[in-house]
Amino acid sequence: MRPDGLRLSARHRVWLHSTFALLFLSGAVWWVLQRWFQVETEFGPHPHRAQRWLILLHGAVAMVALIIIGTLIPLHIKRGWQARLNRLNGTLLIAFIALLTLSGYALYYAGSDSLRNTANDAHTVLGFALPAMLLWHIISGRRARRH
Ligand code: HEM
Ligand code: HEM
């Protein structure tokens, strides 16, 4: 963390961006394999071999990502809020991540098929939009600070 707490240190930034990149890639590649690379067997289509470890990786990295988001609360989010910089966009990003997390949780635990399908669709759409949301937040935050 830099002295003013709002901008991240180089190390913090590397942790955040590499974790988010791995989270995105594990989810996105799993989805591509599920959709276009099912293996045909005599019992019908079967998941690609890599899907199993990709989803294990995804679940594990999701937990690390939540820790990293937590590390932003005491300085980054607090300082941004106090300085009245990027408040709306930051709140939107938090709400967006909350929905992503909630839909991921429902994928684990949803009992009914219809809830699971809704969670699945929501999680996939939100997941693919995450990089754009983060980029928008950073651009809008830097602009707010410059003004
Ligand atoms: C904070 C962010 C995220 C959290 C907490 C999260 C969490 C989860 C969890 C708990 C699962 C269920 C794992 C299982 O069924 O074993 C899951 C599945 C999945 N996630 Fe994420 N995820 C996040 C971000 C993303 C992103 C960025 C993508 C990008 C495309 C993504 C795509 C997927 C896909 C495709 C699945 C498999 C869906 C299925 O089982 O049908 N997720 N995620
Ligand atoms: C209400 C909540 C939030 C506020 C008010 C806020 C505010 C800001 C501001 C003002 C900047 C520009 C800093 C600069 O001048 O470089 C910024 C950048 C950034 N924000 Fe946020 N933010 C919030 C939540 C979040 C969340 C939840 C995340 C992560 C998931 C996040 C990740 C980032 C990152 C990675 C940058 C770029 C920082 C850098 O490269 O040093 N922020 N934010």
Side-chain angles (χ1 to χ4, degrees), residues 71-82:
T71 64
L72 297 173
I73 298 172
L75 282 165
H76 178 79
I77 294 181
K78 195 166 164 202
R79 293 287 152 77
W81 193 265
Q82 285 167 342

Side-chain angles (χ1 to χ4, degrees), residues 87 132 138:
R87 271 186 174 184
I138 294 171

Side-chain angles (χ1 to χ4, degrees), residues 71-130:
T71 64
L72 297 173
I73 298 172
L75 282 165
H76 178 79
I77 294 181
K78 195 166 164 202
R79 293 287 152 77
W81 193 265
Q82 285 167 342
R84 297 181 163 274
L85 292 173
N86 218 15
R87 271 186 174 184
L88 188 64
N89 192 302
T91 308
L92 194 72
L93 185 61
I94 292 173
F96 185 90
I97 291 171
L99 285 178
L100 196 54
T101 308
L102 214 69
S103 58
Y105 178 88
L107 279 173
Y108 259 144
Y109 296 116
S112 79
D113 274 354
S114 75
L115 184 59
R116 200 174 195 288
N117 287 340
T118 311
N120 201 330
D121 293 346
H123 192 76
T124 306
V125 171
L126 294 171
F128 273 100
L130 180 64

